[in-house]
Amino acid sequence: MKRSLFPLFIFVGSLFVLSCQDNSTPDPTPPTQPPTDSPFDWVRQENSFTATLHDVFFVSSSQGWAVGEQGALLSTTSSGESWLLAPSALSDEVLYSVALFDEQRGWIAGQLANEETGGQVFLSQQGGAYPEEQVRTDQPLYTLSMQGKQQGWAAGGQGLLLHTNDGGSTWNSSTVANEETIFSVHFIDTELGWLATEQGSIYRTTDGSTWQPETTPDTIAIRAIQGLDDATAWACGDRNRILHRVMSEDGTPTWEVIRMDTEPNSLIWHDIYFLDDLQGWVVGDGGSIYHTTDGGASWERQLTNVSSAPSLYGIHMLSAQRGWVVGADGIIMTYTP
C-alpha cells in the first residue's frame, strides 16, 4: 500500500503547484525605439576600406562614389548604407577627385601609382567599375570639374590644366596660374570658372580659356574653391582661413578672410560646399565640420559620432538635408539634421 500511495501523493502535489502558477501570457517586451532627435549632425557609414578617402560625389540620393588612396573607388546604390570597392585594376594610385555625370558614368583624377609625379584621368561607364584611363600626364592631378557629358577640366602640379569638350576622348593641356600647383578648379558653366593654388593665388575665367588673377590676402595655400555666380565665390585653406569673394561699391572684387575663433590657426580647411548664397559647410582637420545658414556671417560647429577626429578631405551636399563627407581612415559620414 505504501508503494502505491507515494506516487499518488506526488501527483496531487504537482497539481497543487501548477494551480498556484500564473499561466497568463506575459506582455511582450516593447521594442527599443531610436531617439527621435539624434544629438549628432553627422553619422558614420560603415565600409571595409580603411585608407584615406579624398573626395565624394553623389549624382542622386542613392548613387554615389568615393575615391582615395590605394586605388580606392567605392560606390553605393543605397545612399551609403553599404559601400562596395568597385572592381578595377587600380591598386596603388592615389585618387584625389571624382565627378559623376549620371548613375553609371563618372570621371576620376589622381596620381600615378608609386610615383611622386605623373597623373591620370579615368572614366568609368559601369557605375564605378572597371575605370579606363583616358589621359596620362607628367604631373599629378588633384582636382577636376565636369560640366555635362562633354565638357571637363582637370588640374594639378606646375599649373597644368587639362580640358576636354568631347567627353574625354581627347584632352588639351595648357599651363596657367604662373605654373603654381593647382589644388582646386570649379566651373559653374562651360565658360565661368575658378581655380586656386598652393601659393594662395586665385584665377577666374569668363570664356573657359583665358585666366585672370585676382588679388588675394596672402600666399597661404588654398585647398578648395567654389563659385556660386559671376560675382560670388568661396574658398578655404591653410591657417584656419575661409575666403569669401564680395564686390565693393565701385565693383572691385575683394576676398575677405574669415577665421573660426574656436579653432587654432594651424588648422587646415580642405573642402567647402555652398548650396546657395546663405547655406554652406566647410570641413578640415580634426574632424572639424562647420555650417553657416546666413552667408558666412556666423558659423556653428557640427557634431559627429566619430571619436577619433580624423581629418576630413571632401564634402558633397545634395540638399540642406542630404550630404556626405569623407576623410582619413576610410571615414564616410552622412548628414542627419
Side-chain angles (χ1 to χ4, degrees):
M1 291 293 294
K2 289 182 179 180
R3 296 168 74 181
S4 61
L5 288 175
F6 184 74
L8 178 62
F9 173 77
I10 295 299
F11 175 72
V12 173
S14 299
L15 290 177
F16 175 76
V17 172
L18 291 173
S19 67
C20 294
Q21 292 180 340
D22 182 6
N23 294 322
S24 60
T25 303
D27 293 333
T29 302
T32 302
Q33 296 295 327
T36 54
D37 295 318
S38 170
F40 303 109
D41 302 294
W42 294 85
V43 174
R44 182 168 192 167
Q45 294 186 314
E46 295 302 323
N47 76 86
S48 59
F49 199 80
T50 57
T52 294
L53 297 173
H54 288 287
D55 198 16
V56 61
F57 195 105
F58 271 73
V59 71
S60 68
S61 60
S62 59
Q63 178 80 42
W65 300 0
V67 299
E69 299 184 7
Q70 299 178 15
L73 175 50
L74 308 181
S75 66
T76 180
T77 57
S78 59
S79 304
E81 291 184 11
S82 62
W83 290 85
L84 299 175
L85 187 62
S88 72
L90 305 181
S91 58
D92 295 321
E93 291 83 356
V94 181
L95 307 178
Y96 288 111
S97 189
V98 58
L100 277 67
F101 170 68
D102 55 32
E103 293 188 351
Q104 293 298 315
R105 186 180 175 94
W107 290 263
I108 309 103
Q111 184 171 344
L112 291 175
N114 302 319
E115 295 189 27
E116 294 183 0
T117 60
Q120 296 160 293
V121 176
F122 298 94
L123 169 67
S124 170
Q125 303 186 75
Q126 302 181 58
Y130 307 110
E132 299 177 355
E133 182 181 284
Q134 287 197 309
V135 64
R136 180 173 295 198
T137 66
D138 60 0
Q139 294 295 324
L141 298 173
Y142 299 115
T143 176
L144 58 80
S145 180
M146 309 304 294
Q147 283 294 318
K149 188 176 181 180
Q150 301 298 322
Q151 298 277 348
W153 293 261
Q158 296 187 6
L160 176 63
L161 179 68
L162 304 178
H163 175 230
T164 181
N165 58 14
D166 57 12
S169 296
T170 58
W171 291 82
N172 299 315
S173 66
S174 60
T175 302
V176 298
N178 200 28
E179 298 188 6
E180 298 174 11
T181 294
I182 301 170
F183 277 153
S184 183
V185 62
H186 179 251
F187 272 78
I188 297 174
D189 54 38
T190 58
E191 294 185 334
L192 179 58
W194 310 81
L195 62 80
T197 78
E198 185 180 22
Q199 286 71 37
S201 301
I202 292 176
Y203 287 75
R204 176 174 176 266
T205 181
T206 56
D207 61 9
S209 59
T210 305
W211 294 87
Q212 300 296 329
E214 301 217 336
T215 302
T216 52
D218 45 48
T219 58
I220 299 172
I222 299 174
R223 304 279 173 172
I225 191 167
Q226 181 193 7
L228 296 182
D229 54 40
D230 183 61
T232 309
W234 289 87
C236 65
D238 294 11
R239 298 290 300 277
N240 187 19
R241 295 177 317 127
I242 299 170
L243 290 82
H244 182 204
R245 187 182 192 266
V246 296
M247 302 298 290
S248 63
E249 292 183 358
D250 63 0
T252 302
T254 301
W255 286 91
E256 299 179 339
V257 176
I258 300 170
R259 283 187 169 90
M260 302 299 180
D261 294 337
T262 54
E263 299 294 339
N265 281 340
S266 59
L267 185 142
I268 297 175
W269 297 113
H270 293 284
D271 203 6
I272 193 165
Y273 201 105
F274 269 76
L275 288 172
D276 51 40
D277 289 340
L278 298 178
Q279 188 149 217
W281 290 259
V282 64
V283 300
D285 289 348
S288 298
I289 306 176
Y290 279 76
H291 178 215
T292 181
T293 58
D294 54 15
S298 62
W299 294 81
E300 180 180 358
R301 183 175 180 122
Q302 297 200 302
L303 300 177
T304 76
N305 69 339
V306 179
S307 59
S308 59
S311 292
L312 303 174
Y313 295 108
I315 180 170
H316 187 85
M317 303 296 300
L318 284 180
S319 70
Q321 289 77 39
R322 208 77 177 104
W324 292 262
V325 297
V326 297
D329 305 323
I331 190 72
I332 303 176
M333 290 186 287
T334 186
Y335 194 42
T336 59

